[in-house]
Amino acid sequence: MGTDMEPIAARDRQLYSDLVGMVPGTVDAPFRVDGRVGLGQNYGTLAGLQDVWGISPLQLQASRDLLNLPQPRMHKVFGVRYVFTDFEELSVPSTVLGVDESAGFRRLLHRIDEPYPRAWMAYAVMDTPDRAQALGWLADPAFDPHRTVILEAQPALDLPDSAPEDARVTIAAYAPERMVIQVETPADGMLVVSEMFYPGWRATVDGEPVAIWEADAGLRAVALEAGTHTIEMVYRPVSFRIGAATSITAILGTLSLLAVRRRL
């Protein structure tokens, strides 16, 4: 019987392409790569790269919808900085860092000259409860997701007539189940984070719990008033809380039983 498992330990595997080593492992902010051509399968995990295509054939439908956007828009929404491709040029300005012609196939590594952020402030809102319409707006070349965010309803904010130019968004901490973001905004707006919206994520602004909005048909967003804020997002699903409560109950029950036995 066949198997799709490779009998090679992770420590003994070789990178799919020499181009992979040209992507720096540490930069000023988290970024993603588009590794569909030249990175291959889940080889990004060996190099610590976040590939927009993931490491599993199992994907959220929202993720699939965003991946099917026109490539320049998909790259912008997902915060892609490096692109593994067979294209000599991208549709946005980029620098070719290297070329790999092994195995008779030409691959190139592009670095986008003006890299897209993983979190940003948007000061205009378009609202619709229709996901198909939201995806249509996202695919429109005239739409700029870094200036306008798509939500299911209008937030209770005093949005400005034009976007301020001096807003600052800094990712202070990043891990698979936790993010900390520092924001300085001179006006009310929506903080949009290039991470998938999913039940179980919790957010606080300056320590106070707030709602997470579904933005752009699959991303996360938080409403912010003007000022300086610290936003924390943590993954805490209901199953985690149930498990924690069950464990505490079991521990207390064990301690009670031990106390009774000692008395006897």
Side-chain angles (χ1 to χ4, degrees):
M1 180 179 293
T3 176
D4 61 355
M5 300 296 292
E6 295 184 45
I8 305 174
R11 65 178 178 275
D12 296 328
R13 295 191 180 197
Q14 300 296 318
L15 292 176
Y16 187 72
S17 166
D18 290 339
L19 296 176
V20 180
M22 297 182 183
V23 179
T26 302
V27 291
D28 56 345
F31 63 91
R32 289 193 179 97
V33 303
D34 181 347
R36 191 169 191 174
V37 178
L39 185 57
Q41 301 170 6
N42 63 353
Y43 280 84
T45 57
L46 288 175
L49 301 179
Q50 296 184 34
D51 189 354
V52 292
W53 301 100
I55 60 173
S56 169
L58 301 177
Q59 291 178 329
L60 297 174
Q61 183 60 51
S63 177
R64 288 181 178 272
D65 290 340
L66 295 178
L67 286 169
N68 285 329
L69 290 171
Q71 188 181 71
R73 182 53 42 84
M74 181 270 281
H75 287 169
K76 197 166 190 175
V77 168
F78 278 123
V80 170
R81 184 172 296 193
Y82 297 90
V83 183
F84 296 84
T85 181
D86 53 353
F87 290 176
E88 297 291 335
E89 294 184 2
L90 301 181
S91 57
V92 297
S94 67
T95 300
V96 175
L97 299 183
V99 179
D100 179 8
E101 299 188 74
S102 61
F105 188 78
R106 183 177 174 84
R107 307 178 185 92
L108 300 92
L109 172 63
H110 292 256
R111 181 184 64 214
I112 295 176
D113 289 346
E114 296 184 6
Y116 305 130
R118 289 287 288 272
W120 61 91
M121 288 296 297
Y123 293 95
V125 173
M126 294 174 64
D127 63 282
T128 178
D130 187 333
R131 288 183 57 82
Q133 185 176 40
L135 289 168
W137 287 343
L138 278 173
D140 186 343
F143 180 83
D144 185 355
H146 286 172
R147 300 187 69 86
T148 302
V149 61
I150 302 171
L151 304 174
E152 293 187 351
Q154 289 287 330
L157 294 173
D158 184 15
L159 297 173
D161 294 331
S162 59
E165 299 296 332
D166 53 348
R168 299 185 62 179
V169 178
T170 304
I171 297 179
Y174 183 89
E177 297 182 351
R178 179 177 179 266
M179 291 184 70
V180 178
I181 305 171
Q182 305 286 348
V183 175
E184 297 177 24
T185 174
D188 291 6
M190 297 294 299
L191 170 67
V192 185
V193 182
S194 179
E195 300 288 335
M196 299 309 298
F197 178 87
Y198 193 76
W201 280 95
R202 306 281 186 263
T204 60
V205 174
D206 303 326
E208 296 296 325
V210 297
I212 296 179
W213 294 66
E214 182 172 11
D216 297 338
L219 304 183
R220 296 182 222 145
V222 169
L224 294 179
E225 295 181 347
T228 301
H229 304 287
T230 299
I231 299 88
E232 183 176 17
M233 292 186 178
V234 180
Y235 185 60
R236 289 291 183 269
V238 174
S239 58
F240 174 86
R241 287 179 288 171
I242 292 175
T246 301
S247 298
I248 292 172
T249 301
I251 292 171
L252 292 176
T254 301
L255 292 175
S256 298
L257 181 59
L258 290 174
V260 170
R261 287 182 175 178
R262 287 179 180 177
R263 290 173 185 172
L264 295 177

